[in-house]
Amino acid sequence: MTAVLDALTDGAESLVEVRRRTGLRADVVRAAADHLVRAGLVQECPLVTGCPASGCGGCAVQGCARRR
């Protein structure tokens, strides 16, 4: 679980990226991430596909998947 939290804190933006950084199996990463969310150490963020056509004025999900 520490490896998953460290990867998220170091900037991993998806569970796939956490898997690449840690070398852990997908089911292990998902279980650890779920536990970290339940413990309130990270928050799960909605999938965002990019900035709006009007331009970026700040991101509502900025800072997700980071230590609280």
Side-chain angles (χ1 to χ4, degrees):
M1 197 167 351
T2 301
V4 172
L5 181 58
D6 289 345
L8 291 169
T9 301
D10 290 339
E13 295 183 359
S14 70
L15 296 184
V16 171
E17 190 173 346
V18 171
R19 283 183 57 206
R20 279 195 296 262
R21 289 181 184 212
T22 63
L24 296 170
R25 293 187 336 245
D27 61 323
V28 173
V29 171
R30 169 46 70 191
D34 288 345
H35 180 80
L36 292 168
V37 168
R38 283 192 309 275
L41 296 174
V42 298
Q43 70 182 66
E44 192 168 7
C45 298
L47 180 62
V48 178
T49 59
C51 290
S54 61
C56 186
C59 182
V61 294
Q62 186 177 14
C64 287
R66 305 290 189 268
R67 281 183 207 245
R68 285 184 162 193

